[in-house]
Amino acid sequence: MPRPRRDPKVLPAQQRLENAFWALLRERPYGRITVTDIVREAGVNRNSFYYHFSGLPELADATIMHAIESIPIMDHATTAENLRQEWQRTCIVAFNDPQMRKQFDHLALLAGPHSTIELTEALRDFIRLTLLGNFDLDYDHIDLSTRILLDFTVGGIVGVLRDWPSIEHRLSTNDLTNPDIATVAANLRTALDSSEQHRPVQSLR
């Protein structure tokens, strides 16, 4: 299939398709969204859609992944000793960044009433994979205590996103930088770092 022509004056087709996904998910349940709805909202044709995606589930996965990747969840370069300070700095920056808050609004839709079990699980999976990816770790090869802490943290993030529409306007930087929350982040960072250090070296044979 030939590559769709791109007008430099408008957003790339893939970005418009992802934007259309969020707009429609805000408007109606995921089960009532079709490819026809997406291309109409994005202002592209079906050939352009199928050039980028095999279907709606693939669009959903790509859109979720890109939204999560744009949020600095946890930086591998940050040392465990400085993580509390880095957590506070990241929270303050994110809280005051309109684009970042827009991404939180988007991710909250995946835990909201228009979502599905599959979309919420995709949200969990991509958050988990992003955290592990920062440390080049595999979920199946981390120790059990780290896995439990990771799943506990991911579940907490999804829970906050589920409540995001009702708490966003009441939330302050003091809430985000609460020492108890920073401690959870620091403990997870330390556990992931320890798992990385104790990862078995693969044989070259």
Side-chain angles (χ1 to χ4, degrees), residues 76-192:
H76 184 199
T78 304
T79 63
E81 293 76 12
N82 295 331
L83 184 64
R84 288 180 178 84
Q85 292 80 7
E86 180 63 19
W87 172 263
Q88 292 177 340
R89 187 195 68 78
T90 300
C91 285
I92 291 171
V93 171
F95 189 79
N96 292 288
D97 184 342
Q99 187 60 35
M100 199 74 70
R101 291 179 72 106
K102 181 179 179 181
Q103 295 291 34
F104 289 138
D105 290 342
H106 286 163
L107 293 177
L109 294 173
L110 302 170
H114 288 173
S115 186
T116 64
I117 293 174
E118 290 77 15
L119 287 181
T120 303
E121 284 305 305
L123 171 64
R124 293 178 188 273
D125 289 344
F126 282 123
I127 293 174
R128 186 184 296 111
L129 287 171
T130 299
L131 288 168
L132 290 171
N134 287 344
F135 295 82
D136 195 25
L137 293 172
D138 187 317
Y139 183 76
D140 293 329
H141 294 91
I142 58 177
D143 62 86
L144 184 57
S145 61
T146 300
R147 180 185 295 192
I148 292 172
L149 181 58
L150 175 63
D151 288 340
F152 176 80
T153 303
V154 172
I157 293 172
V158 173
V160 170
L161 290 172
R162 182 176 293 114
D163 294 336
W164 182 253
S166 64
I167 67 174
E168 177 187 5
H169 301 296
R170 297 186 286 120
L171 202 62
S172 69
T173 53
N174 288 335
D175 296 317
L176 291 171
T177 58
N178 182 293
D180 293 334
I181 298 176
T183 297
V184 172
N187 288 341
L188 178 60
R189 168 64 173 80
T190 301
L192 291 173

